[in-house]
Amino acid sequence: MKNYKKTKLACYLGFITQAVAANFAPLLFLKFHTDYNISLGNIAMISTSFFFTQLLVDLFCAKYVDKIGYRVCIVASEVCSAAGLVGLAFLPEIIPSPFIGIIISVILYAIGSGLIEVLGSPIVEACPFENKEATMSLLHSFYCWGAVGTILVSTVFFLLFGIGSWKWLAVIYALIPAINIINFATCPIESLVEEGQGMGIRKLFSNPMFLIAIVMMVCSGASELAMAQWASAYAESALGFSKAVGDIAGPCMFAVTMGISRVLFGKAGDKMKLNRFMIGSGILCFVCYLLASFSENPIIGLAGCIVCGFSVGIMWPGTISISSKVFPTGGTAMFALLAMAGDLGGSIGPAIVGRAADMFGGSIHVGMRIGLLFPITLCFMLFLFNIMNHNANKQK
């Protein structure tokens, strides 16, 4: 008997590693600025490099992963993640330019993060688990718990040992992917489709339903990251919290509620209709953006930010699940393109909100009002996808 529980555990740890990669360095931006004399403009390039690298990896996976093989690529994801986190601790001191050392490290673990983002879902999808939709939702919840853990563990570590000891914490975090190399090297990994039988990129893009799924992923990523990345600033500016408290009250609580949403569907998904859960979540997301945008009561506004995490929780894994049903032979290309769309939304969403806020005197409220376009478009596309899927099933 193949031990698919080990495969699931490896993917869980992979998503936790991805969360560490995405959330650890931003906690150190001010430290990098003061210790290495890196300009704030270059500091912003750290996040840009991370997301841009992930986008390139998504494109790479769509074209080449099937030829290379899942196991080689998924093991490489953990090797790159571990190397990048260790490099973050040492390369800025070794290389003459600390900024270049940080960028090299970020690119390394972004490659690992991009690979696990694309391959984790199809690896789990290919395993013979019951209720794939619930399993997929539970898998993606581990990114949320990884984000929460990274923020809380880092905050406590810095309080106990001082932020000057951050390099030791980077090495400790690197142990997670280092240990997971063994899991991915030895766990059973199945293929979704036979070699050469998966739908190609052209065939996928020629289907209108896939184009709608792509837009849904862009809006999912934008709705999630626009709120998550501005939640801390919202907590600080609206409520006057310190940065440490703002991080916990904002992005940390956002990640908690997002994780709760995914675990809820993961545990009770067999009793729920995914489409209905997604539609309800989309409407709730719109309401949350309304609260954050227009409420003059800062507590209500912050509540909108936090509950928004619950509302977007199902969108990313849910879109992957419904796409897998509609395109059962979509293969790696489908998962890679959907991940790329989500990353694209996660890149442009916060930027649009920030740009709108700048144009109106730094008002985050106004930025969030522009952000209302994301959940509105998401809900419309979800309704359209369901209608087209229903009509297609009737024709069959």
Side-chain angles (χ1 to χ4, degrees), residues 211-299:
L211 295 178
I212 292 173
I214 287 288
V215 177
M216 286 169 57
M217 284 297 286
V218 171
C219 292
S220 295
S223 298
E224 176 186 328
L225 270 298
M227 187 66 80
Q229 291 199 5
W230 285 103
S232 179
Y234 188 95
E236 290 179 59
S237 63
L239 299 181
F241 288 154
S242 66
K243 175 164 173 50
V245 176
D247 286 344
I248 294 173
C252 187
M253 289 305 300
F254 179 94
V256 167
T257 56
M258 186 163 66
I260 290 172
S261 171
R262 291 175 176 178
V263 169
L264 176 64
F265 191 84
K267 293 297 184 182
D270 56 337
K271 302 173 184 176
M272 301 180 186
K273 294 288 186 181
L274 176 59
N275 288 341
R276 292 180 182 177
F277 193 81
M278 289 180 70
I279 290 172
S281 295
I283 295 171
L284 178 61
C285 183
F286 174 72
V287 172
C288 289
Y289 266 85
L290 278 178
L291 292 177
S293 302
F294 292 99
S295 176
E296 295 184 2
N297 186 316
I299 301 297

Coordinates of all heavy atoms in Angstrom, one line a residue, residues 211-299:
L211 N -10.8 30.9 -19.7 CA -10.5 32.4 -19.7 C -11.2 33.0 -18.5 O -10.6 33.9 -17.8 CB -10.9 33.1 -21.0 CG -10.1 32.6 -22.2 CD1 -10.7 33.4 -23.5 CD2 -8.6 32.9 -22.1
I212 N -12.4 32.6 -18.2 CA -13.2 33.1 -17.1 C -12.5 32.7 -15.8 O -12.3 33.5 -14.8 CB -14.6 32.6 -17.1 CG1 -15.4 33.2 -18.3 CG2 -15.3 32.9 -15.8 CD1 -16.8 32.7 -18.5
A213 N -12.0 31.4 -15.7 CA -11.3 30.9 -14.6 C -10.0 31.7 -14.3 O -9.6 32.0 -13.2 CB -10.9 29.4 -14.7
I214 N -9.3 32.1 -15.4 CA -8.1 33.0 -15.3 C -8.5 34.3 -14.6 O -7.8 34.8 -13.7 CB -7.5 33.2 -16.7 CG1 -6.8 31.9 -17.1 CG2 -6.5 34.3 -16.6 CD1 -5.5 31.5 -16.4
V215 N -9.5 34.9 -15.1 CA -10.0 36.2 -14.6 C -10.3 36.1 -13.1 O -10.0 36.9 -12.2 CB -11.1 36.8 -15.4 CG1 -11.6 38.1 -14.7 CG2 -10.7 37.1 -16.8
M216 N -11.0 34.9 -12.8 CA -11.4 34.7 -11.4 C -10.1 34.6 -10.5 O -10.1 35.1 -9.4 CB -12.2 33.4 -11.3 CG -13.6 33.5 -11.8 SD -14.5 31.9 -12.0 CE -14.3 31.2 -10.3
M217 N -9.1 33.9 -11.0 CA -7.9 33.8 -10.2 C -7.2 35.1 -10.0 O -6.6 35.4 -9.0 CB -6.9 32.8 -10.9 CG -7.3 31.3 -10.7 SD -7.3 30.8 -8.9 CE -5.5 30.7 -8.6
V218 N -7.2 36.0 -11.1 CA -6.6 37.3 -11.0 C -7.3 38.1 -9.9 O -6.7 38.7 -9.0 CB -6.7 38.0 -12.3 CG1 -6.2 39.5 -12.1 CG2 -5.7 37.4 -13.3
C219 N -8.7 38.0 -9.9 CA -9.5 38.8 -8.9 C -9.3 38.2 -7.5 O -9.4 38.9 -6.6 CB -10.9 38.8 -9.4 SG -11.2 39.8 -10.9
S220 N -9.2 36.9 -7.5 CA -9.0 36.2 -6.2 C -7.7 36.7 -5.5 O -7.6 37.1 -4.4 CB -8.9 34.7 -6.3 OG -10.1 34.2 -6.7
G221 N -6.6 36.7 -6.3 CA -5.3 37.1 -5.8 C -5.3 38.6 -5.5 O -4.7 39.0 -4.4
A222 N -6.0 39.4 -6.3 CA -6.0 40.9 -6.0 C -6.9 41.1 -4.8 O -6.5 42.0 -3.9 CB -6.6 41.6 -7.2
S223 N -8.0 40.5 -4.6 CA -8.9 40.7 -3.5 C -8.2 40.3 -2.2 O -8.3 41.0 -1.2 CB -10.2 39.9 -3.6 OG -10.9 40.3 -4.7
E224 N -7.4 39.2 -2.3 CA -6.7 38.7 -1.1 C -5.6 39.6 -0.7 O -5.5 40.1 0.4 CB -6.2 37.3 -1.3 CG -5.4 36.7 -0.2 CD -4.8 35.4 -0.6 OE1 -5.4 34.6 -1.3 OE2 -3.7 35.0 -0.1
L225 N -4.6 39.8 -1.6 CA -3.4 40.5 -1.3 C -3.6 42.0 -1.1 O -2.9 42.7 -0.3 CB -2.4 40.3 -2.4 CG -1.4 39.1 -2.2 CD1 -0.6 39.2 -0.9 CD2 -2.2 37.8 -2.1
A226 N -4.6 42.6 -1.8 CA -4.8 44.1 -1.6 C -5.2 44.4 -0.2 O -4.8 45.3 0.4 CB -5.9 44.6 -2.6
M227 N -6.1 43.5 0.4 CA -6.5 43.7 1.7 C -5.4 43.3 2.7 O -5.1 44.0 3.7 CB -7.8 42.9 2.0 CG -8.4 43.2 3.4 SD -9.0 44.9 3.6 CE -10.6 44.8 2.7
A228 N -4.8 42.1 2.5 CA -3.8 41.6 3.4 C -2.6 42.5 3.6 O -2.2 42.7 4.7 CB -3.4 40.2 2.9
Q229 N -2.1 43.0 2.4 CA -0.9 43.9 2.5 C -1.2 45.3 3.1 O -0.2 45.9 3.5 CB -0.2 43.9 1.1 CG 0.3 42.6 0.7 CD 1.4 42.7 -0.4 OE1 1.8 43.8 -0.8 NE2 1.9 41.6 -0.9
W230 N -2.4 45.7 3.0 CA -2.7 47.0 3.5 C -3.4 47.0 4.9 O -3.7 48.0 5.5 CB -3.6 47.8 2.6 CG -2.9 48.3 1.4 CD1 -2.9 47.8 0.1 CD2 -2.0 49.4 1.4 NE1 -2.0 48.5 -0.7 CE2 -1.5 49.6 0.0 CE3 -1.6 50.4 2.3 CZ2 -0.6 50.6 -0.3 CZ3 -0.7 51.4 1.9 CH2 -0.2 51.4 0.6
A231 N -3.6 45.8 5.4 CA -4.3 45.6 6.7 C -3.5 46.2 7.9 O -4.1 46.8 8.8 CB -4.7 44.1 7.0
S232 N -2.2 46.0 7.8 CA -1.3 46.5 8.9 C -1.3 48.0 8.9 O -1.5 48.6 10.0 CB 0.1 45.9 8.8 OG 0.9 46.4 9.8
A233 N -1.2 48.6 7.7 CA -1.2 50.1 7.6 C -2.5 50.6 8.1 O -2.6 51.7 8.7 CB -0.9 50.5 6.2
Y234 N -3.6 49.9 7.7 CA -5.0 50.3 8.1 C -5.1 50.3 9.7 O -5.6 51.3 10.3 CB -6.0 49.4 7.5 CG -7.4 49.8 7.7 CD1 -8.1 50.6 6.7 CD2 -8.1 49.6 8.9 CE1 -9.4 51.0 6.9 CE2 -9.4 50.0 9.0 CZ -10.1 50.7 8.0 OH -11.3 51.1 8.2
A235 N -4.6 49.2 10.3 CA -4.6 49.1 11.7 C -3.8 50.2 12.4 O -4.2 50.8 13.4 CB -4.2 47.8 12.2
E236 N -2.7 50.5 11.8 CA -1.8 51.6 12.4 C -2.4 53.0 12.2 O -2.4 53.8 13.2 CB -0.4 51.5 11.8 CG 0.4 50.3 12.2 CD 1.7 50.2 11.5 OE1 2.5 51.2 11.7 OE2 2.0 49.3 10.8
S237 N -2.9 53.3 11.0 CA -3.3 54.6 10.7 C -4.7 54.9 11.3 O -5.0 56.0 11.8 CB -3.4 54.9 9.2 OG -4.3 54.0 8.6
A238 N -5.6 53.9 11.3 CA -7.0 54.1 11.8 C -7.1 54.0 13.3 O -7.8 54.7 13.9 CB -7.9 53.1 11.1
L239 N -6.3 53.1 13.9 CA -6.4 52.8 15.3 C -5.2 53.3 16.1 O -5.3 53.2 17.4 CB -6.7 51.3 15.6 CG -7.9 50.7 14.9 CD1 -8.0 49.2 15.3 CD2 -9.2 51.4 15.4
G240 N -4.2 53.7 15.5 CA -3.0 54.2 16.2 C -2.2 53.1 16.9 O -1.5 53.3 17.8
F241 N -2.3 51.8 16.4 CA -1.5 50.7 17.0 C -0.1 50.8 16.6 O 0.3 51.5 15.6 CB -2.1 49.4 16.5 CG -3.4 49.0 17.0 CD1 -4.2 48.1 16.3 CD2 -3.9 49.5 18.2 CE1 -5.5 47.8 16.7 CE2 -5.1 49.1 18.7 CZ -5.9 48.3 18.0
S242 N 0.8 50.2 17.4 CA 2.2 50.1 17.1 C 2.3 49.1 15.9 O 1.4 48.4 15.6 CB 3.0 49.6 18.3 OG 2.6 48.3 18.6
K243 N 3.5 49.0 15.3 CA 3.7 48.1 14.2 C 3.5 46.7 14.6 O 2.8 45.9 13.9 CB 5.1 48.3 13.5 CG 5.3 47.3 12.5 CD 6.4 47.6 11.6 CE 6.8 46.5 10.6 NZ 5.6 46.0 9.9
A244 N 4.0 46.3 15.8 CA 3.9 44.9 16.2 C 2.5 44.5 16.4 O 2.0 43.5 16.0 CB 4.7 44.7 17.5
V245 N 1.7 45.4 17.1 CA 0.3 45.1 17.3 C -0.5 45.2 16.0 O -1.4 44.4 15.8 CB -0.3 46.1 18.4 CG1 -1.8 45.9 18.5 CG2 0.4 46.0 19.7
G246 N -0.1 46.2 15.2 CA -0.7 46.3 13.9 C -0.6 45.1 13.0 O -1.5 44.7 12.3
D247 N 0.6 44.5 13.0 CA 0.9 43.3 12.3 C 0.0 42.1 12.7 O -0.5 41.3 11.9 CB 2.3 42.8 12.4 CG 3.2 43.7 11.5 OD1 2.7 44.5 10.7 OD2 4.5 43.7 11.8
I248 N -0.2 42.1 14.1 CA -1.1 41.0 14.6 C -2.6 41.3 14.4 O -3.3 40.4 14.0 CB -0.8 40.8 16.1 CG1 0.7 40.3 16.3 CG2 -1.8 39.8 16.7 CD1 1.1 40.2 17.7
A249 N -3.0 42.5 14.6 CA -4.4 42.9 14.4 C -4.8 42.9 12.9 O -5.9 42.7 12.6 CB -4.6 44.3 15.0
G250 N -3.8 43.2 12.0 CA -4.1 43.3 10.6 C -3.8 42.0 9.9 O -4.7 41.1 9.8
P251 N -2.7 41.8 9.2 CA -2.4 40.7 8.4 C -2.4 39.3 9.1 O -2.8 38.3 8.5 CB -1.0 41.0 7.8 CG -0.4 42.0 8.7 CD -1.5 42.8 9.2
C252 N -2.0 39.3 10.4 CA -2.1 38.1 11.1 C -3.5 37.6 11.3 O -3.8 36.4 11.0 CB -1.4 38.2 12.5 SG -1.2 36.7 13.4
M253 N -4.4 38.4 11.8 CA -5.8 38.0 12.0 C -6.5 37.7 10.6 O -7.3 36.9 10.5 CB -6.5 39.1 12.7 CG -6.2 39.2 14.2 SD -6.3 37.7 15.1 CE -8.1 37.3 14.9
F254 N -6.0 38.5 9.6 CA -6.5 38.2 8.2 C -6.2 36.8 7.8 O -7.0 36.0 7.3 CB -5.9 39.2 7.2 CG -6.3 39.0 5.8 CD1 -7.4 39.7 5.3 CD2 -5.7 38.1 5.0 CE1 -7.8 39.6 4.0 CE2 -6.0 38.0 3.7 CZ -7.1 38.7 3.1
A255 N -4.9 36.4 8.1 CA -4.5 35.0 7.7 C -5.3 34.0 8.6 O -5.6 32.9 8.1 CB -3.0 34.9 7.9
V256 N -5.5 34.3 9.9 CA -6.3 33.4 10.7 C -7.7 33.1 10.2 O -8.1 31.9 10.1 CB -6.4 33.9 12.2 CG1 -7.4 33.1 13.0 CG2 -5.0 33.9 12.9
T257 N -8.4 34.2 9.8 CA -9.7 33.9 9.3 C -9.7 33.3 8.0 O -10.6 32.5 7.7 CB -10.5 35.3 9.2 OG1 -9.8 36.2 8.4 CG2 -10.7 35.9 10.6
M258 N -8.7 33.5 7.2 CA -8.6 32.9 5.9 C -8.4 31.4 6.1 O -9.0 30.5 5.4 CB -7.5 33.5 5.0 CG -7.4 32.9 3.6 SD -6.4 33.9 2.5 CE -4.8 33.8 3.2
G259 N -7.5 31.1 7.0 CA -7.3 29.6 7.4 C -8.5 29.0 7.9 O -8.8 27.8 7.6
I260 N -9.3 29.7 8.7 CA -10.5 29.1 9.3 C -11.5 28.7 8.2 O -12.1 27.7 8.2 CB -11.2 30.1 10.3 CG1 -10.3 30.2 11.6 CG2 -12.6 29.6 10.6 CD1 -10.8 31.3 12.5
S261 N -11.6 29.6 7.2 CA -12.5 29.4 6.0 C -12.1 28.1 5.3 O -12.9 27.2 5.0 CB -12.4 30.6 5.1 OG -13.1 30.3 3.9
R262 N -10.8 27.9 5.1 CA -10.3 26.8 4.3 C -10.4 25.5 5.1 O -10.7 24.4 4.6 CB -8.8 27.0 3.9 CG -8.7 28.1 2.8 CD -7.3 28.5 2.4 NE -7.3 29.4 1.3 CZ -6.2 30.0 0.8 NH1 -5.0 29.6 1.3 NH2 -6.3 30.8 -0.2
V263 N -10.2 25.6 6.4 CA -10.3 24.4 7.3 C -11.8 24.0 7.4 O -12.1 22.8 7.3 CB -9.7 24.6 8.7 CG1 -10.1 23.5 9.6 CG2 -8.2 24.7 8.6
L264 N -12.7 25.0 7.5 CA -14.1 24.7 7.6 C -14.6 24.0 6.4 O -15.3 23.0 6.5 CB -14.9 26.1 7.7 CG -16.4 26.0 7.7 CD1 -16.9 25.2 9.0 CD2 -17.0 27.4 7.7
F265 N -14.2 24.4 5.2 CA -14.6 23.7 4.0 C -13.9 22.4 3.9 O -14.4 21.4 3.4 CB -14.4 24.5 2.7 CG -15.1 23.9 1.5 CD1 -16.4 24.2 1.3 CD2 -14.4 23.1 0.7 CE1 -17.1 23.6 0.2 CE2 -15.0 22.5 -0.4 CZ -16.3 22.8 -0.7
G266 N -12.6 22.3 4.4 CA -11.9 21.1 4.3 C -12.4 20.0 5.2 O -12.4 18.8 4.8
K267 N -13.0 20.4 6.3 CA -13.6 19.4 7.3 C -15.1 19.1 7.0 O -15.5 18.0 7.2 CB -13.5 19.9 8.7 CG -12.0 20.1 9.2 CD -11.4 18.7 9.3 CE -10.0 18.8 9.9 NZ -9.3 17.5 9.9
A268 N -15.8 20.1 6.4 CA -17.2 19.9 6.2 C -17.6 20.0 4.7 O -18.8 20.2 4.4 CB -18.0 20.9 7.0
G269 N -16.6 19.9 3.9 CA -16.9 20.1 2.4 C -17.8 19.1 1.8 O -18.5 19.4 0.9
D270 N -17.9 17.9 2.4 CA -18.8 16.9 1.9 C -20.2 17.2 2.1 O -21.1 16.7 1.5 CB -18.4 15.5 2.5 CG -18.5 15.5 4.0 OD1 -18.3 16.6 4.6 OD2 -18.7 14.4 4.6
K271 N -20.5 18.2 3.0 CA -21.9 18.6 3.4 C -22.2 19.9 2.7 O -23.3 20.4 2.9 CB -22.1 18.7 4.9 CG -21.8 17.4 5.6 CD -21.8 17.6 7.1 CE -21.4 16.4 7.9 NZ -21.3 16.6 9.3
M272 N -21.3 20.5 2.0 CA -21.5 21.8 1.4 C -21.3 21.8 -0.1 O -20.6 20.9 -0.7 CB -20.5 22.9 1.9 CG -20.5 23.1 3.4 SD -19.2 24.3 3.9 CE -19.3 24.2 5.6
K273 N -22.0 22.7 -0.8 CA -21.8 22.8 -2.3 C -20.7 23.9 -2.5 O -20.9 25.0 -2.0 CB -23.1 23.3 -2.9 CG -24.2 22.2 -2.9 CD -23.9 21.1 -3.8 CE -25.1 20.1 -3.9 NZ -24.8 19.0 -4.8
L274 N -19.6 23.5 -3.2 CA -18.5 24.4 -3.4 C -19.0 25.7 -4.1 O -18.6 26.8 -3.7 CB -17.4 23.7 -4.2 CG -16.2 24.6 -4.5 CD1 -15.5 25.2 -3.3 CD2 -15.2 23.8 -5.3
N275 N -19.8 25.6 -5.1 CA -20.2 26.8 -5.9 C -21.0 27.7 -5.0 O -20.8 29.0 -5.0 CB -21.1 26.3 -7.0 CG -20.3 25.7 -8.1 OD1 -19.1 25.9 -8.2 ND2 -20.9 24.9 -9.0
R276 N -21.9 27.2 -4.1 CA -22.6 28.1 -3.3 C -21.7 28.7 -2.2 O -21.9 29.9 -1.9 CB -23.7 27.3 -2.6 CG -24.8 26.8 -3.5 CD -25.9 26.0 -2.8 NE -26.9 25.5 -3.7 CZ -27.9 24.7 -3.4 NH1 -28.1 24.3 -2.1 NH2 -28.8 24.3 -4.3
F277 N -20.8 28.0 -1.7 CA -19.9 28.5 -0.7 C -19.0 29.6 -1.3 O -18.8 30.7 -0.7 CB -19.0 27.4 -0.2 CG -18.2 27.7 1.1 CD1 -18.8 27.7 2.3 CD2 -16.9 28.1 1.0 CE1 -18.1 28.0 3.5 CE2 -16.2 28.5 2.1 CZ -16.8 28.4 3.4
M278 N -18.6 29.4 -2.5 CA -17.8 30.5 -3.2 C -18.6 31.7 -3.5 O -18.1 32.8 -3.3 CB -17.2 29.9 -4.5 CG -16.1 28.9 -4.3 SD -15.4 28.2 -5.8 CE -14.6 29.7 -6.5
I279 N -19.9 31.5 -4.0 CA -20.7 32.7 -4.2 C -21.0 33.5 -3.0 O -20.9 34.7 -2.9 CB -22.1 32.3 -4.9 CG1 -21.8 31.8 -6.3 CG2 -23.1 33.4 -4.9 CD1 -23.0 31.1 -7.0
G280 N -21.3 32.8 -1.9 CA -21.6 33.4 -0.6 C -20.3 34.2 -0.1 O -20.4 35.3 0.4
S281 N -19.1 33.5 -0.3 CA -17.9 34.2 0.1 C -17.6 35.4 -0.7 O -17.1 36.4 -0.2 CB -16.7 33.2 -0.1 OG -16.9 32.1 0.8
G282 N -17.9 35.4 -2.0 CA -17.7 36.5 -2.9 C -18.6 37.7 -2.5 O -18.1 38.8 -2.5
I283 N -19.8 37.4 -2.1 CA -20.7 38.5 -1.6 C -20.2 39.1 -0.3 O -20.1 40.3 -0.1 CB -22.1 38.0 -1.5 CG1 -22.7 37.6 -2.9 CG2 -23.0 39.0 -0.8 CD1 -24.0 36.9 -2.8
L284 N -19.7 38.2 0.6 CA -19.2 38.6 1.9 C -17.9 39.5 1.6 O -17.7 40.5 2.3 CB -18.8 37.4 2.7 CG -18.2 37.7 4.1 CD1 -19.1 38.6 5.0 CD2 -17.8 36.4 4.8
C285 N -17.1 39.1 0.6 CA -15.9 39.9 0.3 C -16.2 41.3 -0.1 O -15.6 42.3 0.4 CB -15.1 39.2 -0.8 SG -13.5 40.0 -1.2
F286 N -17.3 41.4 -0.9 CA -17.7 42.7 -1.3 C -18.2 43.6 -0.1 O -17.8 44.7 0.0 CB -18.9 42.6 -2.3 CG -19.5 43.9 -2.7 CD1 -18.9 44.8 -3.6 CD2 -20.8 44.2 -2.3 CE1 -19.5 46.0 -3.9 CE2 -21.4 45.4 -2.6 CZ -20.7 46.3 -3.4
V287 N -18.9 42.9 0.8 CA -19.4 43.6 2.0 C -18.2 44.1 2.9 O -18.2 45.2 3.4 CB -20.3 42.7 2.8 CG1 -20.6 43.4 4.2 CG2 -21.6 42.5 2.1
C288 N -17.2 43.2 3.0 CA -16.0 43.6 3.8 C -15.2 44.7 3.2 O -14.8 45.6 3.9 CB -15.1 42.3 3.9 SG -15.7 41.0 4.9
Y289 N -15.1 44.8 1.9 CA -14.5 45.9 1.2 C -15.3 47.2 1.5 O -14.7 48.3 1.6 CB -14.3 45.7 -0.2 CG -12.9 45.1 -0.6 CD1 -12.6 43.8 -0.5 CD2 -11.9 46.0 -0.9 CE1 -11.4 43.2 -0.8 CE2 -10.6 45.5 -1.2 CZ -10.3 44.1 -1.2 OH -9.1 43.6 -1.5
L290 N -16.6 47.1 1.5 CA -17.5 48.2 1.7 C -17.2 48.8 3.1 O -17.1 50.0 3.3 CB -18.9 47.8 1.6 CG -19.5 47.8 0.2 CD1 -21.0 47.3 0.3 CD2 -19.5 49.2 -0.5
L291 N -17.1 47.9 4.1 CA -16.9 48.3 5.5 C -15.5 49.0 5.7 O -15.4 50.0 6.3 CB -17.0 47.0 6.4 CG -18.3 46.4 6.6 CD1 -18.2 45.1 7.5 CD2 -19.3 47.4 7.2
A292 N -14.5 48.4 5.0 CA -13.2 49.0 5.1 C -13.1 50.3 4.4 O -12.3 51.2 4.7 CB -12.1 48.0 4.6
S293 N -13.9 50.5 3.3 CA -13.9 51.6 2.5 C -14.6 52.8 3.0 O -14.2 54.0 3.0 CB -14.4 51.3 1.1 OG -13.7 50.3 0.5
F294 N -15.8 52.6 3.6 CA -16.8 53.7 3.9 C -17.0 53.8 5.4 O -17.6 54.9 5.8 CB -18.1 53.4 3.1 CG -17.9 53.6 1.7 CD1 -17.8 52.4 0.8 CD2 -17.9 54.8 1.1 CE1 -17.7 52.6 -0.5 CE2 -17.8 54.9 -0.3 CZ -17.7 53.8 -1.1
S295 N -16.8 52.9 6.2 CA -17.1 53.0 7.6 C -16.2 54.0 8.3 O -15.0 54.0 8.1 CB -16.9 51.6 8.3 OG -17.2 51.8 9.7
E296 N -16.8 54.9 9.0 CA -16.1 55.9 9.8 C -15.6 55.4 11.1 O -14.8 56.1 11.8 CB -16.9 57.2 9.9 CG -17.2 57.9 8.6 CD -17.9 59.2 8.7 OE1 -18.2 59.6 9.9 OE2 -18.3 59.8 7.7
N297 N -16.2 54.3 11.5 CA -15.8 53.7 12.8 C -14.6 52.8 12.5 O -14.7 51.8 11.8 CB -17.0 52.8 13.3 CG -16.7 52.3 14.7 OD1 -15.6 51.7 15.0 ND2 -17.7 52.3 15.6
P298 N -13.5 53.1 13.1 CA -12.3 52.3 12.8 C -12.4 50.8 13.2 O -11.8 50.0 12.6 CB -11.2 53.0 13.6 CG -11.9 53.8 14.6 CD -13.2 54.2 14.1
I299 N -13.1 50.5 14.3 CA -13.3 49.1 14.7 C -14.0 48.3 13.7 O -13.7 47.2 13.3 CB -14.0 49.1 16.1 CG1 -13.2 49.8 17.2 CG2 -14.2 47.6 16.5 CD1 -11.8 49.3 17.4

